[in-house]
Structures are given as structure tokens and as C-alpha cells.
Amino acid sequence: MAAEVLIIDDDTRLAAMLSDYLRSAGFTTRSAATGNSGLQEIARKAPDAVILDVMLPDHDGFEICRRIRAGSGLPILMLTAKGEETDRIVGLELGADDYLAKPFSPRELAARLKAILRRTQGSSSIAPMDILRFGRLEIDRGQRCVRLDGNERPMTGYQFALLVNMAENAGRVLSRERLMELTKGEELEAFDRSIDVHISRIRAAIETDPKHPRRIITLRGSGYIFARNQDESDR
């Protein structure tokens, strides 16, 4: 079944162009011209992913992203103004899975959507009980969730994929560039700060004290390392 994408953008010409291209790429689409109507569409029937513009007539995209993320892990790709790094960082901090700056290539947007959906939908080859355990922390690759002391911790699809890649390489130093390659499946520019924002959000979810992390350690100038031994119970 084709994945359905909800486009929330008040630029009706752009939305129509995206709809046409995404349909040719194998998606089905719906559109909403305001943040409120987008939320209503999601409540009526949740799509498989959302394309969300930052600039909307009733609410900004950040507020809509926050409202969506408060109720679901629905994949979100945000559209930001060209060169507005602050917009991208804020969007990621609020739970967006990815961002794309305008103007952009529809082909790149479709490729990013497919990458997001691959990460969030997972692979059917993963066994339901395939769980990585690190003391009090459990990373359930089958259910695609993270639990700390048995309690599920909130995380976006991208952040979950990033955490799995780090956990599967526990004890190894991974550069930011290598983490981006593993998680996105594509080469990104080395100065892209999105990886740091996502790791900060993961730490907030799984660390007892995010300011003094014991699970994801920063090695200045080298990258990150996911610790093998993290809790007293590991020793």
C-alpha cells in the first residue's frame, strides 16, 4: 500500500506541485492550508508522514510540530526558509525528524521522505524480541521503542534509529559524519549541526543527568561513544 503524506502549507501552488510529484513517486497525498486544518486532518485519519511548512497563516510550524509530537510519533519533515539554521535547529528540538530548506528539489524531498519512512517503519526482518539491554536501559528494535526502568521514553523515529546505530556499535568511537551516514544513508555536510541536536534530545530522554551523560559520551574532536557499561547493575 502506498504511503500517505499530509502536506501542511498555505502555498497552494507549491502544495499542488508537491502532490503531483509525490504521486508520481508512489505516494498518496492530502493537503491542508493552515495549521488547524492540518491537525484536524491528522485527527480524522493519521497519515504515514507530514510535510510541515514553518510559515503558516494561523500558527507557525513549530507550534504545529509541538502539538503533533505531543500526541504521536508521526514522522515530520519541516520546510524552512533558505539559510535559516535557527529554524532547523528549533524544529529538530521540537521533534521533527528532518528538515529541508527552500527552495528545494522535489526529488530530494521524496528521497528524504522515503528515508524517514524506512527508519520509522523499520524492517520486517527484525525479530519482535530483538532487544538491546544496557543496565536499566532497553532498546527494543522490534517494537521500536526505548524503555528506562521499564518506562517508555519519548523519541522520534530518527532519534530511535540514531540510538540503535550507536548501541549496535557500543564501545566504538563514531564521528558525527559516520553517524549521519549510518542513520540517514546519505552523505551530509560535516558542519550540519542536526546530529548534535538529536543526540541532545536522546540524552534528555535516557540520561539520569543529561549535563553529565554516562550513556552517550562526547569525545571532543573525535565524536561520540555509546558506553557498554552504564549503570551499577552492569558491573
Side-chain angles (χ1 to χ4, degrees):
M1 182 180 295
E4 183 180 56
V5 179
L6 174 63
I7 302 167
I8 306 178
D9 196 320
D10 64 329
D11 185 336
T12 55
R13 292 181 63 185
L14 176 62
M17 182 271 290
L18 286 180
S19 291
D20 289 343
Y21 187 87
L22 290 175
R23 286 169 185 160
S24 71
F27 295 91
T28 62
T29 65
R30 283 185 280 154
S31 297
T34 66
N36 283 334
S37 60
L39 292 173
Q40 290 168 5
E41 284 293 316
I42 292 171
R44 180 176 67 83
K45 180 179 178 292
D48 294 296
V50 173
I51 296 173
L52 176 61
D53 190 26
V54 168
M55 300 298 292
L56 294 169
D58 52 350
H59 301 284
D60 66 42
F62 302 130
E63 173 63 15
I64 301 304
C65 179
R66 185 189 66 77
R67 293 189 189 183
I68 294 172
R69 189 57 70 228
S72 78
L74 193 63
I76 302 171
L77 190 156
M78 294 199 76
L79 302 180
T80 68
K82 181 178 175 64
E84 291 296 330
E85 182 183 43
T86 301
D87 284 356
R88 300 196 295 270
I89 298 301
V90 171
L92 292 168
E93 288 178 338
L94 289 172
D97 292 271
D98 202 353
Y99 59 81
L100 196 57
K102 295 180 178 180
F104 55 83
S105 158
R107 181 177 179 182
E108 180 181 3
L109 182 141
R112 286 177 178 258
L113 273 178
K114 289 176 181 177
I116 291 172
L117 289 168
R118 281 197 301 270
R119 293 194 299 265
T120 56
Q121 292 174 351
S123 169
S124 59
S125 64
I126 296 176
M129 296 305 293
D130 194 1
I131 298 175
L132 299 172
R133 291 186 174 86
F134 297 86
R136 296 156 48 224
L137 181 69
E138 292 184 350
I139 304 170
D140 190 329
R141 291 177 290 189
Q143 297 295 319
R144 297 191 62 79
C145 67
V146 177
R147 291 181 288 270
L148 185 64
D149 294 326
N151 299 312
E152 190 168 339
R153 307 301 298 168
M155 203 166 293
T156 69
Y158 185 95
Q159 289 158 10
F160 178 82
L162 179 58
L163 179 60
V164 167
N165 281 317
M166 286 190 288
E168 289 177 343
N169 290 278
R172 299 179 184 176
V173 179
L174 298 174
S175 68
R176 293 163 71 246
E177 292 80 4
R178 180 57 181 153
L179 282 170
M180 290 185 218
E181 290 170 4
L182 287 171
T183 307
K184 284 203 175 237
E186 58 189 55
E187 186 176 351
L188 296 180
E189 296 178 4
F191 60 78
D192 191 312
R193 291 178 53 198
S194 66
I195 202 79
D196 303 315
V197 176
H198 283 301
I199 287 178
S200 175
R201 301 299 293 177
I202 293 171
R203 281 174 168 159
I206 67 173
E207 297 279 4
T208 302
D209 182 358
K211 292 184 178 180
H212 300 90
R214 295 182 60 187
R215 305 185 190 282
I216 302 174
I217 311 301
T218 301
L219 297 182
R220 194 172 300 277
S222 298
Y224 297 96
I225 184 168
F226 189 82
R228 291 182 182 276
N229 298 319
Q230 303 177 4
D231 300 303
E232 291 295 328
S233 58
D234 285 323
R235 300 171 183 171

